[in-house]
Amino acid sequence: MSERLAAISTEIAQPVCAYFNRRGQVIRVGVGSPRQTRIPPLELPRYGAERLSGVRCIATKLKPEAPKESSLTAMAIQRLDALVMLTLTGGGKQRRGGGATGYVKQAYLAHLLPQPEIELEQRFYWTVSPPLSLEAIAKQDFLDLVEGLEAEFRREYVAQEVDGSRERVLVVGLMTDEISPLQFENGLAEVSRLVETAGGEVLQTIHQKRSRPHPQTVIGAGKVQEIALLVQTLGTNLVVFNRDLSPAQVRNLEKQFGVRVVDRTEVILDIFAQRAQSRAGKLQVELAQLEYMLPRLTGRGEAMSRLGGGIGTRGPGETKLETERRAIQRRISRLQKEVNQLQAHRSRLRQRRQKQEVPSIAIVGYTNAGKSTLINALTNAEVYTADQLFATLDPTTRRLPVPDAIAGEPLTILLTDTVGFIHELPPALVDSFRATLEEVTEADALLHLVDLSHPAWQSQIRSVTSILAEMPETPGPALIVFNKIDCVDSETLAIAQEEFPLAVFISASDRLGLETLRQKLGQLVHYAVASVRRSGVD
């Protein structure tokens, strides 16, 4: 039956294609359903939120029924100019010399709809005509139809551009058996917050649960089709995944979606690039970006290679990919030397402070816990603060007088604000920011600041503790300080007090509990210095 239908389709397609080709337009013929013969978005003649693809699809079927949802979905993903479905009879006049039989019984015309015409309860944005005769289809002016639709799409696109320059983002989260539902929801919310911090607008969040990621596309084939359709429906120009992606996975997904695909690490790197102010910060961010980019050069397509075939692409010599990889490796080597020099410079500064016997405390904590706000409140510093993830990257050190735990007289300590931590901190960032993170390992003690108002504060404590445990040198003793107590209920406060009885509870923005914190810092420094002296005697 399938061979017979294919033969009939070819016979019918010839005169219909001749009609479409009256004005010299290119016709591409493929045997199969619209989904089976789908052209990847990046290979279409033209593609974009304000344009149709320039391709019209003619499909045939034996059953007298309208196009199925799978065919219409394929039309929407490819942004086809139109889909014409011809239903055929099972028999017809036998051609002289043999050949296929069958007549066109009725036809259906489907095309996309501009957004203003979509009904709120309608899930997809297309329209399908009632059954039409072949003569009615032949009288349809497809050029006029396409020009009118593209004019509407172009007006929508311009309106979106006027609304703002922020990227329109679709966030995709994959939940595997390795994590709990609560961890998954918290992680997905964090990715959305990262996207907003980077300047994007999250239009929708997609979930999928699988036992393990798909090796080629991370998510299943059905979910890929669903997201590809949403990309067109919502006018998305970026898809962000909640996990790291391999270069091959990015390439496969971009081919299916027709828009850029990035992972969580790339979003964090983009935020760091925006936040870096000092030369040292910019240096470390560039190093992290290059180390992340180097293994992903192969995913940038044939433009990176001269071996595609044809005039100007043959002959000996390096491919463009190899040349660019070599240049990036040279740049990484130079940046690593500069980071080593920065590391040595900061080490000399720490040694100078240690000779002056000034105790130091490093403020550590999850990003957006309020570290910069706290150092401003304690020392009257002017560190930039904002309700954003990774608002500050560069470490800031200020002097702070605290009461001595023994003599009761004022004791001067050095308080350092460090870069914020995050769950599964990308390895490229850990390596590139080692000069900054050494401020943590070289400190006499740590002030672990926790945002008690965050719903996942317990998970954030575990993440910070895990990152500290992985550092090459074990940091000094830590004092847990819960911040933003003015934004929590009594039940949460009671849980934290019961679980961490020695912790300090403050509100840095409202300057609550700061005097108690100063006294605790004096006790912490005394304990840390005494421990160092005992270890030195031993």
Side-chain angles (χ1 to χ4, degrees), residues 53-254:
S53 65
V55 176
R56 296 157 207 168
C57 178
I58 305 168
T60 57
K61 61 191 306 183
L62 292 178
K63 293 183 179 180
E65 59 184 13
K68 293 183 177 180
E69 187 175 292
S70 60
S71 298
L72 297 170
T73 301
M75 175 189 70
I77 292 174
Q78 297 180 94
R79 298 187 69 83
L80 297 178
D81 292 3
L83 168 64
V84 176
M85 184 70 71
L86 305 177
T87 63
L88 310 177
T89 61
K93 184 178 179 181
Q94 185 75 20
R95 293 182 57 186
R96 181 177 297 178
T101 61
Y103 295 108
V104 176
K105 185 175 182 181
Q106 56 191 17
Y108 294 88
L109 171 62
H111 62 78
L112 301 182
L113 281 176
Q115 289 283 0
E117 298 183 20
I118 301 178
E119 300 177 4
L120 293 178
E121 64 274 7
Q122 182 177 342
R123 184 181 175 189
F124 304 125
Y125 67 139
W126 54 61
T127 181
V128 181
S129 71
L132 302 173
S133 64
L134 186 58
E135 289 74 16
I137 291 291
K139 293 178 181 179
Q140 172 70 48
D141 190 338
F142 283 92
L143 283 180
D144 183 64
L145 173 66
V146 171
E147 289 173 359
L149 290 174
E150 286 196 335
E152 292 293 329
F153 287 128
R154 196 171 297 112
R155 278 193 288 269
E156 293 173 12
Y157 181 77
V158 171
Q160 290 177 0
E161 291 292 304
V162 171
D163 287 343
S165 58
R166 298 203 302 170
E167 289 183 290
R168 298 166 61 83
V169 182
L170 193 67
V171 175
V172 181
L174 176 66
M175 177 181 172
T176 60
D177 297 337
E178 301 172 356
I179 59 175
S180 66
L182 181 60
Q183 290 175 324
F184 172 73
E185 291 296 335
N186 290 335
L188 202 57
E190 184 175 82
V191 172
S192 297
R193 186 75 188 279
L194 286 169
V195 169
E196 292 171 353
T197 301
E201 177 186 3
V202 179
L203 301 180
Q204 192 167 332
T205 302
I206 305 298
H207 301 195
Q208 188 181 42
K209 183 176 181 180
R210 290 175 60 93
S211 58
R212 65 180 64 88
H214 192 282
Q216 295 179 341
T217 57
V218 183
I219 51 179
K223 190 63 70 173
V224 169
Q225 295 295 325
E226 178 186 338
I227 294 173
L229 178 60
L230 280 174
V231 165
Q232 298 306 316
T233 306
L234 301 176
T236 304
N237 54 17
L238 180 67
V239 177
V240 177
F241 278 74
N242 70 332
R243 58 178 51 238
D244 288 343
L245 304 176
S246 69
Q249 289 171 339
V250 171
R251 184 169 60 251
N252 294 335
L253 290 168
E254 288 184 344

